Amino acid sequence: MNGSKGYRADPSDNHVESLPVLSLTTVNKMLPLVERIVGDFLHGRHELNRLQPEEARLDRQRRDLSWPERQRRYEVKERVAGAEHEMQGAVEELGDLGVVLLDQDFGRVGFPTMVNNRRAFFSWRPGEDGLHTWHFAEDEVFRPIPAAWLKEISGAGGKN
């Protein structure tokens, strides 16, 4: 996949201005749902990565395929479309929550917030046991979430 489906967001574009501002407590509560949605996206991406080479080979040979190979070609095309649909659905679900997919390869997402009157994101990706980093929208430098901010979660009865 070459990114033409628009799965990767540029957090510095004008779209960021329309995103909600989420507190660390809210983001922490959203994390289990977001984790499942990102899992759906990555499942679709894995399927797409697995099927696309076969699809390309079958497309190149389409004029010379036997009937069983033609059937396989149709099946692969349907499964590719299904994977793309799964990925797009996940991106839309994230968008409905105000969450931005920052990196489709690793499933990194950004939860929009404000830091020092600047747009920023709390950042998370699969495999992380919670929220640990943040970054400004126009920046790719991930910073650790300060301990003082994490008190907001523990004070609200959250985990971390």
Side-chain angles (χ1 to χ4, degrees):
M1 187 164 96
N2 61 12
S4 63
K5 293 285 182 186
Y7 299 122
R8 182 180 172 93
D10 178 1
S12 64
D13 67 13
N14 293 333
H15 161 258
V16 171
E17 297 304 316
S18 66
L19 293 173
V21 175
L22 301 173
S23 72
L24 194 52
T25 301
T26 299
V27 171
N28 196 52
K29 290 177 184 175
M30 293 171 67
L31 203 52
L33 174 60
V34 169
E35 184 173 5
R36 286 191 293 276
I37 296 168
V38 170
D40 290 345
F41 178 86
L42 291 174
H43 176 265
R45 179 151 172 83
H46 173 75
E47 278 293 291
L48 204 58
N49 287 342
R50 189 178 66 74
L51 292 169
Q52 281 182 326
E54 183 179 6
E55 180 187 34
R57 180 186 58 79
L58 291 168
D59 283 349
R60 280 190 309 272
Q61 299 171 347
R62 70 182 171 276
R63 297 188 198 287
D64 302 321
L65 297 176
S66 66
W67 177 242
E69 292 170 316
R70 285 178 193 263
Q71 286 179 308
R72 177 64 184 161
R73 180 173 175 251
Y74 298 139
E75 177 188 338
V76 168
K77 288 211 171 284
E78 285 180 24
R79 292 177 68 185
V80 164
E84 288 176 340
H85 181 74
E86 181 177 23
M87 293 169 68
Q88 189 58 44
V91 169
E92 289 171 7
E93 279 187 80
L94 291 172
D96 289 346
L97 295 172
V99 178
V100 177
L101 181 64
L102 299 173
D103 185 330
Q104 69 176 358
D105 293 331
F106 298 104
R108 181 172 294 280
V109 292
F111 298 86
T113 194
M114 296 290 285
V115 176
N116 297 332
N117 292 323
R118 290 172 58 190
R119 277 294 184 166
F121 290 98
F122 295 115
S123 180
W124 175 86
R125 76 177 213 185
E128 294 179 345
D129 63 350
L131 295 165
H132 300 291
T133 59
W134 71 277
H135 68 280
F136 286 112
E138 69 279 356
D139 200 351
E140 291 188 23
V141 176
F142 295 98
R143 297 168 169 89
I145 294 176
W149 296 4
L150 295 174
K151 288 181 185 174
E152 175 186 333
I153 294 174
S154 59
K159 63 179 183 184
N160 218 18

